[in-house]
Amino acid sequence: MRDLRDWIAVLEREGELVRVSAEVDPDLEVTEIVDRTVKAGGPALLFENPKGAKHPLLINQFGTERRMCLAFGVEQLDDVGRKVSDVLEMQPPQGLMDKVRGLQKLKSIADARATTVRKGPVHEVVLQGDDVDLTLLPIQRCWPDDPAPFITLPAVITHDPRNGVRNVGMYRMQVIDRATTFMHWQIHKDGRADWLATDGRIPVAVALGLDPITAYSASAPLPHHIDEFMMAGFLRGAPVELVKGITVDIEVPAHAEIVLEGYIDKDELGQEGPFGDHTGFYTPSEPFPVFHVTAMTMRRDAIYPSIVVGKPPQEDAWLGKATERIFLPAIRATVPEIVDYDLPVAGGFHNCCIVSIKKAFPGHAQKVMHAIWGLGMLSLTKSIIVVDAHVDVHDYQQVLFYAGANVDPKRDVVLSEGPLDHLDHAPERQFIGGKLGIDATAKWPEEGARPWPEEIEMSPEIRDLVDRRWADYGIESVPGAADGGVGQTSRSLRQLLRR
Ligand SMILES: Cc1cc2nc3c(=O)[nH]c(=O)nc-3n(C[C@H](O)[C@H](O)[C@H](O)COP(=O)(O)O)c2cc1C
Ligand SMILES: [Mn+2]
Protein backbone atom coordinates (compact mmCIF):
# COMPACT_ATOMS: atom_id res chain seq x y z
CA MET A 1 0.00 0.00 0.00
CA ARG A 2 1.42 3.27 -1.10
CA ASP A 3 -0.69 5.69 0.88
CA LEU A 4 -3.66 6.24 3.15
CA ARG A 5 -6.05 6.04 0.19
CA ASP A 6 -4.87 2.53 -0.75
CA TRP A 7 -5.39 1.59 2.89
CA ILE A 8 -8.89 3.06 3.03
CA ALA A 9 -9.72 1.07 -0.13
CA VAL A 10 -8.49 -2.12 1.58
CA LEU A 11 -10.53 -1.35 4.69
CA GLU A 12 -13.61 -0.69 2.61
CA ARG A 13 -13.19 -3.85 0.54
CA GLU A 14 -12.79 -5.90 3.71
CA GLY A 15 -15.91 -4.43 5.30
CA GLU A 16 -13.75 -2.72 7.91
CA LEU A 17 -14.76 0.90 7.30
CA VAL A 18 -17.92 2.87 7.91
CA ARG A 19 -18.43 6.31 6.38
CA VAL A 20 -20.27 8.67 8.68
CA SER A 21 -21.97 11.41 6.69
CA ALA A 22 -23.80 13.01 9.63
CA GLU A 23 -22.16 16.19 10.89
CA VAL A 24 -20.11 15.26 13.96
CA ASP A 25 -18.16 17.57 16.24
CA PRO A 26 -14.40 16.86 16.62
CA ASP A 27 -14.85 18.58 19.96
CA LEU A 28 -15.50 15.57 22.30
CA GLU A 29 -18.30 13.99 20.24
CA VAL A 30 -15.94 11.99 18.01
CA THR A 31 -14.18 10.63 21.12
CA GLU A 32 -17.37 9.23 22.63
CA ILE A 33 -18.34 7.60 19.34
CA VAL A 34 -14.89 6.10 18.87
CA ASP A 35 -14.61 4.95 22.48
CA ARG A 36 -17.78 2.91 22.08
CA THR A 37 -16.72 1.61 18.66
CA VAL A 38 -13.24 0.55 19.78
CA LYS A 39 -14.53 -1.24 22.87
CA ALA A 40 -17.04 -3.14 20.73
CA GLY A 41 -14.33 -4.21 18.27
CA GLY A 42 -16.05 -2.05 15.64
CA PRO A 43 -14.88 -0.66 12.30
CA ALA A 44 -12.65 2.19 11.22
CA LEU A 45 -14.66 5.39 10.88
CA LEU A 46 -14.39 8.02 8.19
CA PHE A 47 -16.22 11.13 9.37
CA GLU A 48 -17.03 12.89 6.12
CA ASN A 49 -18.50 16.03 7.68
CA PRO A 50 -16.63 16.98 10.81
CA LYS A 51 -18.15 20.16 12.20
CA GLY A 52 -16.26 23.34 11.44
CA ALA A 53 -13.56 21.74 9.27
CA LYS A 54 -12.84 21.39 5.57
CA HIS A 55 -11.44 17.87 5.63
CA PRO A 56 -12.71 14.39 6.55
CA LEU A 57 -11.40 12.62 9.64
CA LEU A 58 -10.26 8.98 9.68
CA ILE A 59 -10.11 7.21 13.03
CA ASN A 60 -9.95 3.68 14.46
CA GLN A 61 -7.95 2.46 11.47
CA PHE A 62 -5.81 0.33 13.85
CA GLY A 63 -8.53 -0.63 16.33
CA THR A 64 -8.61 -4.42 15.97
CA GLU A 65 -6.09 -7.21 15.56
CA ARG A 66 -7.60 -8.05 12.18
CA ARG A 67 -7.06 -4.53 10.87
CA MET A 68 -3.54 -4.48 12.25
CA CYS A 69 -2.86 -7.73 10.37
CA LEU A 70 -4.43 -6.28 7.20
CA ALA A 71 -2.17 -3.26 7.60
CA PHE A 72 0.91 -5.46 7.67
CA GLY A 73 -0.43 -7.95 5.14
CA VAL A 74 -0.03 -10.91 7.50
CA GLU A 75 -2.18 -13.61 9.09
CA GLN A 76 -0.97 -12.82 12.58
CA LEU A 77 1.29 -10.17 14.03
CA ASP A 78 3.96 -12.74 14.90
CA ASP A 79 4.52 -13.12 11.14
CA VAL A 80 5.88 -9.58 11.07
CA GLY A 81 8.24 -10.50 13.90
CA ARG A 82 9.31 -13.54 11.91
CA LYS A 83 10.28 -11.33 8.99
CA VAL A 84 12.53 -9.36 11.32
CA SER A 85 14.06 -12.49 12.86
CA ASP A 86 14.74 -13.93 9.39
CA VAL A 87 17.10 -11.07 8.74
CA LEU A 88 18.50 -10.82 12.27
CA GLU A 89 19.38 -14.50 12.30
CA MET A 90 20.80 -14.76 8.80
CA GLN A 91 23.54 -17.36 8.48
CA PRO A 92 25.96 -17.89 5.59
CA PRO A 93 23.95 -19.86 3.01
CA GLN A 94 24.49 -23.58 2.34
CA GLY A 95 23.60 -24.73 -1.14
CA LEU A 96 21.88 -22.98 -4.00
CA MET A 97 18.33 -22.77 -2.62
CA ASP A 98 19.67 -21.30 0.59
CA LYS A 99 21.56 -18.70 -1.43
CA VAL A 100 18.44 -17.75 -3.36
CA ARG A 101 16.51 -17.37 -0.13
CA GLY A 102 19.37 -15.35 1.30
CA LEU A 103 19.27 -13.02 -1.71
CA GLN A 104 15.55 -12.46 -1.18
CA LYS A 105 16.25 -11.45 2.39
CA LEU A 106 19.07 -9.16 1.28
CA LYS A 107 16.74 -7.57 -1.23
CA SER A 108 14.29 -6.76 1.55
CA ILE A 109 17.12 -4.86 3.25
CA ALA A 110 18.17 -3.18 0.02
CA ASP A 111 14.58 -1.98 -0.48
CA ALA A 112 14.39 -0.60 3.01
CA ARG A 113 16.08 2.78 2.61
CA ALA A 114 13.73 5.63 1.73
CA THR A 115 14.11 7.03 -1.79
CA THR A 116 13.82 10.61 -3.00
CA VAL A 117 11.39 11.44 -5.78
CA ARG A 118 11.04 14.78 -7.56
CA LYS A 119 7.34 15.35 -7.12
CA GLY A 120 4.59 14.11 -4.88
CA PRO A 121 0.85 14.60 -4.44
CA VAL A 122 1.48 15.99 -0.97
CA HIS A 123 2.36 19.27 -2.73
CA GLU A 124 -0.91 19.58 -4.66
CA VAL A 125 -1.99 22.30 -2.23
CA VAL A 126 0.59 24.58 -0.62
CA LEU A 127 -0.29 27.12 2.06
CA GLN A 128 2.47 29.38 3.35
CA GLY A 129 2.80 32.37 5.65
CA ASP A 130 -0.57 33.81 6.64
CA ASP A 131 -2.41 31.16 4.65
CA VAL A 132 -1.31 28.42 7.04
CA ASP A 133 -4.45 27.49 8.95
CA LEU A 134 -4.69 24.48 11.22
CA THR A 135 -8.38 25.18 11.81
CA LEU A 136 -9.03 23.81 8.32
CA LEU A 137 -8.36 20.38 9.86
CA PRO A 138 -10.84 18.49 12.05
CA ILE A 139 -8.41 18.33 14.97
CA GLN A 140 -10.02 16.68 17.96
CA ARG A 141 -10.38 17.96 21.47
CA CYS A 142 -10.47 14.49 22.98
CA TRP A 143 -11.49 14.75 26.64
CA PRO A 144 -13.41 17.34 28.68
CA ASP A 145 -10.41 18.76 30.56
CA ASP A 146 -8.20 19.05 27.46
CA PRO A 147 -7.63 22.79 27.02
CA ALA A 148 -7.42 22.70 23.21
CA PRO A 149 -7.49 20.38 20.20
CA PHE A 150 -4.55 17.96 19.85
CA ILE A 151 -3.03 16.42 16.72
CA THR A 152 -2.76 12.82 17.90
CA LEU A 153 -1.42 10.70 15.02
CA PRO A 154 1.53 12.63 13.58
CA ALA A 155 4.82 11.35 12.21
CA VAL A 156 7.26 13.99 13.43
CA ILE A 157 10.45 14.12 11.38
CA THR A 158 13.71 15.63 12.64
CA HIS A 159 17.40 15.13 11.94
CA ASP A 160 20.15 14.76 14.51
CA PRO A 161 22.11 17.98 13.97
CA ARG A 162 25.38 16.18 14.78
CA ASN A 163 25.20 13.44 12.15
CA GLY A 164 22.11 14.11 10.04
CA VAL A 165 20.41 10.83 10.95
CA ARG A 166 16.65 11.05 10.49
CA ASN A 167 14.20 10.35 13.29
CA VAL A 168 10.46 9.83 13.04
CA GLY A 169 8.40 9.87 16.22
CA MET A 170 4.75 10.08 17.16
CA TYR A 171 4.41 12.99 19.58
CA ARG A 172 1.07 14.69 20.19
CA MET A 173 0.74 18.35 19.27
CA GLN A 174 -1.56 20.72 21.14
CA VAL A 175 -2.89 23.45 18.89
CA ILE A 176 -2.04 26.96 20.09
CA ASP A 177 -3.32 28.97 17.13
CA ARG A 178 -3.69 28.77 13.34
CA ALA A 179 0.03 28.26 12.82
CA THR A 180 1.56 27.05 16.10
CA THR A 181 1.34 23.98 18.29
CA PHE A 182 3.25 22.46 21.16
CA MET A 183 5.51 19.46 20.55
CA HIS A 184 5.12 16.86 23.26
CA TRP A 185 8.34 14.87 22.85
CA GLN A 186 8.97 13.32 26.23
CA ILE A 187 12.25 13.09 28.11
CA HIS A 188 13.34 9.68 26.77
CA LYS A 189 12.48 10.35 23.13
CA ASP A 190 14.70 10.77 20.09
CA GLY A 191 13.01 13.88 18.68
CA ARG A 192 13.67 15.63 21.95
CA ALA A 193 17.33 14.56 21.87
CA ASP A 194 17.68 16.01 18.36
CA TRP A 195 16.14 19.25 19.57
CA LEU A 196 18.41 19.40 22.64
CA ALA A 197 21.45 18.89 20.39
CA THR A 198 20.72 21.99 18.29
CA ASP A 199 22.25 25.36 18.99
CA GLY A 200 19.24 27.48 18.18
CA ARG A 201 16.52 26.26 15.89
CA ILE A 202 15.64 22.79 14.60
CA PRO A 203 13.66 22.30 11.40
CA VAL A 204 10.73 19.92 11.85
CA ALA A 205 8.26 18.33 9.45
CA VAL A 206 5.09 16.52 10.49
CA ALA A 207 3.44 14.01 8.18
CA LEU A 208 -0.27 13.23 8.64
CA GLY A 209 -2.13 10.53 6.76
CA LEU A 210 0.25 7.77 5.63
CA ASP A 211 0.08 4.15 4.63
CA PRO A 212 -0.49 2.19 7.84
CA ILE A 213 3.00 0.68 8.13
CA THR A 214 4.75 4.03 7.78
CA ALA A 215 2.31 5.58 10.25
CA TYR A 216 2.99 2.71 12.68
CA SER A 217 6.75 3.13 12.32
CA ALA A 218 6.57 6.57 13.93
CA SER A 219 5.48 4.86 17.13
CA ALA A 220 8.17 2.16 17.01
CA PRO A 221 10.79 2.42 19.78
CA LEU A 222 13.88 1.98 17.61
CA PRO A 223 17.37 2.90 18.82
CA HIS A 224 18.12 6.56 18.09
CA HIS A 225 20.46 5.90 15.18
CA ILE A 226 17.94 3.80 13.23
CA ASP A 227 15.67 5.67 10.80
CA GLU A 228 12.03 4.70 11.31
CA PHE A 229 11.29 5.22 7.58
CA MET A 230 13.90 2.56 6.85
CA MET A 231 12.08 0.16 9.12
CA ALA A 232 8.82 1.08 7.36
CA GLY A 233 10.45 0.39 3.99
CA PHE A 234 11.66 -3.01 5.22
CA LEU A 235 8.28 -4.01 6.63
CA ARG A 236 6.43 -2.72 3.55
CA GLY A 237 8.82 -4.42 1.16
CA ALA A 238 8.98 -1.13 -0.75
CA PRO A 239 10.84 2.05 0.11
CA VAL A 240 9.05 5.10 1.52
CA GLU A 241 9.09 7.77 -1.19
CA LEU A 242 10.11 11.22 -0.06
CA VAL A 243 10.11 14.70 -1.62
CA LYS A 244 12.00 17.80 -0.55
CA GLY A 245 10.12 20.06 1.80
CA ILE A 246 9.19 23.51 0.52
CA THR A 247 10.28 25.68 3.46
CA VAL A 248 12.49 23.20 5.36
CA ASP A 249 15.52 21.15 4.50
CA ILE A 250 13.72 17.92 5.37
CA GLU A 251 12.38 15.26 3.04
CA VAL A 252 8.74 14.40 3.62
CA PRO A 253 6.58 11.45 2.53
CA ALA A 254 5.51 12.20 -1.05
CA HIS A 255 2.15 10.47 -0.62
CA ALA A 256 1.20 11.90 2.77
CA GLU A 257 -2.21 13.50 2.96
CA ILE A 258 -0.90 16.51 4.86
CA VAL A 259 2.53 17.82 5.86
CA LEU A 260 3.23 20.61 8.33
CA GLU A 261 6.67 22.15 7.86
CA GLY A 262 8.25 24.45 10.39
CA TYR A 263 10.75 24.88 13.18
CA ILE A 264 11.21 24.69 16.93
CA ASP A 265 13.48 27.05 18.83
CA LYS A 266 15.66 25.68 21.59
CA ASP A 267 14.52 28.18 24.19
CA GLU A 268 10.86 28.75 23.40
CA LEU A 269 8.72 26.78 25.84
CA GLY A 270 5.13 27.05 26.94
CA GLN A 271 2.75 25.22 29.26
CA GLU A 272 1.40 22.24 27.35
CA GLY A 273 -1.59 20.17 28.58
CA PRO A 274 -3.30 18.87 30.57
CA PHE A 275 -4.22 16.00 28.26
CA GLY A 276 -6.38 12.92 28.78
CA ASP A 277 -3.63 10.41 28.16
CA HIS A 278 -3.10 6.72 27.45
CA THR A 279 -2.40 6.21 31.15
CA GLY A 280 -6.14 6.70 31.72
CA PHE A 281 -5.47 9.93 33.61
CA TYR A 282 -5.00 13.55 32.68
CA THR A 283 -1.29 14.23 32.54
CA PRO A 284 -0.66 17.60 34.14
CA SER A 285 0.46 20.68 32.29
CA GLU A 286 4.26 20.85 31.77
CA PRO A 287 6.62 23.03 29.74
CA PHE A 288 7.13 21.81 26.17
CA PRO A 289 8.56 23.49 23.07
CA VAL A 290 6.53 25.43 20.52
CA PHE A 291 6.32 24.35 16.87
CA HIS A 292 5.90 27.15 14.31
CA VAL A 293 4.31 26.05 11.03
CA THR A 294 5.86 27.74 8.01
CA ALA A 295 4.04 25.71 5.39
CA MET A 296 1.04 23.42 5.30
CA THR A 297 0.99 21.21 2.22
CA MET A 298 -1.75 18.80 1.26
CA ARG A 299 -3.19 16.52 -1.31
CA ARG A 300 -6.44 17.68 -2.87
CA ASP A 301 -9.29 16.60 -0.56
CA ALA A 302 -6.79 15.58 2.10
CA ILE A 303 -7.96 13.14 4.77
CA TYR A 304 -6.95 13.95 8.34
CA PRO A 305 -6.01 10.94 10.54
CA SER A 306 -6.64 10.89 14.27
CA ILE A 307 -6.58 8.56 17.27
CA VAL A 308 -7.96 8.80 20.78
CA VAL A 309 -5.99 7.60 23.77
CA GLY A 310 -7.52 7.23 27.22
CA LYS A 311 -8.32 4.51 29.72
CA PRO A 312 -7.27 1.26 28.04
CA PRO A 313 -8.26 -0.48 25.90
CA GLN A 314 -8.21 2.16 23.17
CA GLU A 315 -7.13 2.08 19.55
CA ASP A 316 -3.46 2.51 20.46
CA ALA A 317 -3.55 -0.92 22.15
CA TRP A 318 -2.97 -2.43 18.73
CA LEU A 319 -0.05 -0.17 17.85
CA GLY A 320 1.47 -1.34 21.12
CA LYS A 321 0.72 -5.01 20.44
CA ALA A 322 2.31 -4.67 17.00
CA THR A 323 5.46 -3.32 18.65
CA GLU A 324 5.39 -6.13 21.22
CA ARG A 325 5.32 -8.77 18.45
CA ILE A 326 7.69 -7.04 16.00
CA PHE A 327 10.37 -6.42 18.61
CA LEU A 328 10.36 -9.94 20.14
CA PRO A 329 13.08 -11.23 17.76
CA ALA A 330 15.31 -8.24 18.46
CA ILE A 331 14.86 -8.76 22.19
CA ARG A 332 15.65 -12.44 21.82
CA ALA A 333 18.76 -11.58 19.83
CA THR A 334 20.11 -9.88 22.97
CA VAL A 335 18.48 -12.04 25.64
CA PRO A 336 18.07 -15.43 23.89
CA GLU A 337 16.72 -17.23 26.95
CA ILE A 338 13.50 -15.22 26.55
CA VAL A 339 10.79 -17.40 25.00
CA ASP A 340 7.98 -14.87 24.81
CA TYR A 341 6.66 -11.76 26.53
CA ASP A 342 3.40 -9.92 26.96
CA LEU A 343 2.77 -6.29 27.78
CA PRO A 344 -0.82 -6.22 29.01
CA VAL A 345 -2.90 -3.49 27.40
CA ALA A 346 -4.41 -2.69 30.77
CA GLY A 347 -0.89 -2.09 32.06
CA GLY A 348 -0.42 0.76 29.64
CA PHE A 349 2.58 -1.15 28.27
CA HIS A 350 5.02 0.39 30.77
CA ASN A 351 3.45 -0.83 33.97
CA CYS A 352 3.77 -4.55 33.50
CA CYS A 353 5.77 -7.07 31.50
CA ILE A 354 5.21 -10.82 31.68
CA VAL A 355 8.14 -12.79 30.33
CA SER A 356 8.78 -16.52 29.94
CA ILE A 357 12.33 -17.90 30.00
CA LYS A 358 14.25 -21.10 29.47
CA LYS A 359 15.66 -21.19 32.96
CA ALA A 360 19.20 -22.60 32.95
CA PHE A 361 20.83 -21.49 36.19
CA PRO A 362 19.96 -20.23 39.67
CA GLY A 363 19.05 -16.55 39.61
CA HIS A 364 18.23 -16.66 35.93
CA ALA A 365 14.88 -14.89 36.40
CA GLN A 366 16.65 -12.01 38.16
CA LYS A 367 19.16 -11.79 35.32
CA VAL A 368 16.31 -11.42 32.82
CA MET A 369 14.57 -8.79 34.95
CA HIS A 370 17.71 -6.69 34.97
CA ALA A 371 18.19 -7.25 31.23
CA ILE A 372 14.69 -5.88 30.57
CA TRP A 373 15.34 -2.94 32.90
CA GLY A 374 18.36 -2.21 30.73
CA LEU A 375 16.82 -2.69 27.29
CA GLY A 376 15.73 0.31 25.19
CA MET A 377 12.31 1.64 26.07
CA LEU A 378 11.55 -1.58 28.00
CA SER A 379 13.88 -0.11 30.63
CA LEU A 380 10.90 1.99 31.73
CA THR A 381 8.95 -1.15 32.72
CA LYS A 382 7.66 -0.82 36.26
CA SER A 383 6.92 -4.44 37.13
CA ILE A 384 8.05 -7.72 35.63
CA ILE A 385 6.70 -11.21 36.18
CA VAL A 386 9.03 -14.01 35.07
CA VAL A 387 7.58 -17.46 34.35
CA ASP A 388 9.01 -20.71 33.02
CA ALA A 389 9.12 -21.50 29.30
CA HIS A 390 5.98 -23.66 29.24
CA VAL A 391 3.71 -20.92 30.62
CA ASP A 392 1.63 -18.99 28.08
CA VAL A 393 2.44 -15.37 28.90
CA HIS A 394 -0.69 -14.21 27.06
CA ASP A 395 -2.94 -16.26 29.34
CA TYR A 396 -3.24 -14.04 32.40
CA GLN A 397 -5.08 -16.75 34.34
CA GLN A 398 -2.07 -19.06 33.98
CA VAL A 399 0.32 -16.27 34.83
CA LEU A 400 -1.57 -15.40 38.02
CA PHE A 401 -1.61 -19.08 38.93
CA TYR A 402 2.21 -19.27 38.83
CA ALA A 403 2.69 -15.80 40.31
CA GLY A 404 0.71 -17.05 43.28
CA ALA A 405 1.73 -20.68 43.54
CA ASN A 406 5.44 -20.44 42.77
CA VAL A 407 6.30 -17.32 44.73
CA ASP A 408 7.62 -16.86 48.23
CA PRO A 409 7.36 -13.07 48.41
CA LYS A 410 10.23 -12.89 50.85
CA ARG A 411 12.59 -14.73 48.54
CA ASP A 412 11.23 -14.16 45.04
CA VAL A 413 10.36 -10.48 44.90
CA VAL A 414 13.01 -8.06 43.65
CA LEU A 415 12.61 -4.41 44.54
CA SER A 416 14.77 -2.12 42.49
CA GLU A 417 14.83 1.46 41.31
CA GLY A 418 15.28 3.14 37.99
CA PRO A 419 13.87 5.35 35.26
CA LEU A 420 10.10 5.40 34.78
CA ASP A 421 7.83 6.63 32.03
CA HIS A 422 7.49 10.39 31.70
CA LEU A 423 3.74 10.12 32.30
CA ASP A 424 3.80 7.86 35.37
CA HIS A 425 2.06 9.76 38.17
CA ALA A 426 2.62 7.19 40.93
CA PRO A 427 6.29 7.63 41.96
CA GLU A 428 7.30 10.29 44.48
CA ARG A 429 9.47 12.02 41.91
CA GLN A 430 8.79 12.32 38.19
CA PHE A 431 10.87 10.05 35.89
CA ILE A 432 12.40 7.83 38.61
CA GLY A 433 11.07 5.35 41.09
CA GLY A 434 10.62 1.79 42.27
CA LYS A 435 10.67 -1.36 40.17
CA LEU A 436 9.08 -4.68 41.07
CA GLY A 437 10.25 -8.06 39.82
CA ILE A 438 8.36 -11.26 40.64
CA ASP A 439 10.16 -14.52 40.02
CA ALA A 440 7.32 -16.97 39.34
CA THR A 441 9.54 -19.72 37.92
CA ALA A 442 9.88 -23.11 39.65
CA LYS A 443 12.67 -22.70 42.22
CA TRP A 444 15.81 -24.77 42.40
CA PRO A 445 17.53 -26.11 45.52
CA GLU A 446 20.37 -23.64 44.87
CA GLU A 447 17.79 -20.88 45.17
CA GLY A 448 16.77 -22.08 48.62
CA ALA A 449 13.78 -24.20 47.67
CA ARG A 450 12.62 -27.45 49.21
CA PRO A 451 12.06 -30.26 46.68
CA TRP A 452 9.66 -28.74 44.11
CA PRO A 453 6.42 -30.70 43.62
CA GLU A 454 5.25 -32.10 40.30
CA GLU A 455 2.48 -30.22 38.54
CA ILE A 456 -0.77 -32.13 38.05
CA GLU A 457 -1.39 -33.27 34.48
CA MET A 458 -3.82 -35.86 33.13
CA SER A 459 -2.14 -38.63 31.15
CA PRO A 460 -2.30 -38.23 27.35
CA GLU A 461 -3.97 -41.66 26.98
CA ILE A 462 -6.92 -40.68 29.14
CA ARG A 463 -7.22 -37.32 27.38
CA ASP A 464 -7.34 -39.04 24.01
CA LEU A 465 -9.85 -41.53 25.32
CA VAL A 466 -12.16 -38.81 26.60
CA ASP A 467 -11.76 -36.83 23.39
CA ARG A 468 -12.79 -39.87 21.42
CA ARG A 469 -15.69 -40.76 23.69
CA TRP A 470 -16.99 -37.25 24.43
CA ALA A 471 -20.19 -37.78 22.43
CA ASP A 472 -20.95 -41.00 24.36
CA TYR A 473 -21.27 -39.13 27.65
CA GLY A 474 -24.24 -37.04 26.52
CA ILE A 475 -22.79 -33.91 28.20
CA GLU A 476 -23.40 -31.49 25.42
CA SER A 477 -22.70 -27.87 26.03
CA VAL A 478 -20.46 -27.56 29.04
CA PRO A 479 -18.93 -24.11 28.81
CA GLY A 480 -15.19 -24.40 28.48
CA ALA A 481 -15.27 -28.20 28.47
CA ALA A 482 -12.18 -28.23 26.33
CA ASP A 483 -10.11 -26.75 29.13
CA GLY A 484 -11.98 -28.19 32.06
CA GLY A 485 -14.19 -25.18 32.61
CA VAL A 486 -11.55 -22.79 33.91
CA GLY A 487 -10.23 -19.84 32.09
CA GLN A 488 -13.60 -18.62 30.80
CA THR A 489 -12.96 -15.06 31.82
CA SER A 490 -9.41 -15.05 30.66
CA ARG A 491 -10.39 -16.59 27.33
CA SER A 492 -13.03 -14.02 26.55
CA LEU A 493 -10.70 -11.32 27.77
CA ARG A 494 -7.97 -12.66 25.54
CA GLN A 495 -10.40 -12.68 22.66
CA LEU A 496 -11.29 -9.09 23.43
CA LEU A 497 -7.66 -8.12 23.59
CA ARG A 498 -6.46 -10.20 20.66
CA ARG A 499 -9.20 -9.96 18.06
C1 LIG B 1 -1.05 7.36 19.65
C2 LIG B 1 0.29 7.59 20.27
C3 LIG B 1 0.59 8.81 20.84
C4 LIG B 1 1.83 9.06 21.40
N1 LIG B 1 2.09 10.27 21.95
C5 LIG B 1 3.32 10.54 22.42
C6 LIG B 1 3.64 11.82 22.92
O1 LIG B 1 2.81 12.73 22.94
N2 LIG B 1 4.90 12.05 23.36
C7 LIG B 1 5.86 11.08 23.34
O2 LIG B 1 6.99 11.35 23.71
N3 LIG B 1 5.58 9.82 22.90
C8 LIG B 1 4.33 9.54 22.43
N4 LIG B 1 4.04 8.30 21.97
C9 LIG B 1 5.07 7.24 22.03
C10 LIG B 1 6.13 7.44 20.96
O3 LIG B 1 5.55 7.59 19.70
C11 LIG B 1 7.09 6.28 20.93
O4 LIG B 1 7.77 6.25 22.16
C12 LIG B 1 8.11 6.36 19.79
O5 LIG B 1 9.02 5.32 19.94
C13 LIG B 1 8.82 7.68 19.78
O6 LIG B 1 9.76 7.72 18.72
P1 LIG B 1 11.32 7.83 19.06
O7 LIG B 1 11.70 6.52 19.70
O8 LIG B 1 11.96 8.05 17.74
O9 LIG B 1 11.47 8.98 19.99
C14 LIG B 1 2.80 8.04 21.39
C15 LIG B 1 2.50 6.81 20.82
C16 LIG B 1 1.27 6.58 20.26
C17 LIG B 1 0.99 5.25 19.64
MN1 LIG C 1 13.64 7.00 16.91
Side-chain angles (χ1 to χ4, degrees), residues 321 324-325 327-328 331 335 338-357 365 368-375 377-387 392-394 396 399-400 403 420 435-440:
K321 280 288 152 191
E324 178 200 288
R325 293 296 94 197
F327 280 74
L328 176 59
I331 292 166
V335 193
I338 289 181
V339 177
D340 200 357
Y341 76 133
D342 185 281
L343 304 170
V345 170
F349 292 97
H350 293 296
N351 290 338
C352 184
C353 171
I354 302 161
V355 57
S356 57
I357 65 166
V368 170
M369 289 171 197
H370 289 107
I372 290 171
W373 285 327
L375 204 60
M377 283 298 113
L378 273 179
S379 62
L380 304 179
T381 305
K382 194 149 69 174
S383 55
I384 301 176
I385 302 173
V386 186
V387 292
D392 177 0
V393 292
H394 310 297
Y396 303 149
V399 172
L400 269 182
L420 291 175
K435 305 272 193 178
L436 170 70
I438 298 176
D439 176 359

Side-chain angles (χ1 to χ4, degrees), residues 432-491:
I432 185 162
K435 305 272 193 178
L436 170 70
I438 298 176
D439 176 359
T441 61
K443 299 304 164 332
W444 293 12
E446 297 91 328
E447 295 173 322
R450 290 177 292 142
W452 209 255
E454 282 295 311
E455 287 184 33
I456 302 171
E457 293 274 10
M458 182 45 73
S459 65
E461 300 79 45
I462 297 295
R463 276 206 202 144
D464 287 350
L465 172 86
V466 171
D467 278 350
R468 275 198 313 276
R469 294 205 53 203
W470 189 255
D472 302 347
Y473 307 138
I475 315 166
E476 260 158 39
S477 52
V478 175
D483 66 359
V486 296
Q488 268 301 91
T489 327
S490 84
R491 252 202 336 278

Side-chain angles (χ1 to χ4, degrees), residues 270-311:
Q271 283 297 123
E272 197 259 8
F275 177 67
D277 223 315
H278 80 105
T279 56
F281 294 83
Y282 285 98
T283 54
S285 176
E286 273 188 85
F288 273 94
V290 177
F291 173 53
H292 294 271
V293 184
T294 52
M296 180 169 168
T297 81
M298 295 186 275
R299 294 175 73 146
R300 268 188 290 279
D301 308 316
I303 300 161
Y304 171 81
S306 190
I307 191 168
V308 170
V309 299
K311 264 191 205 148

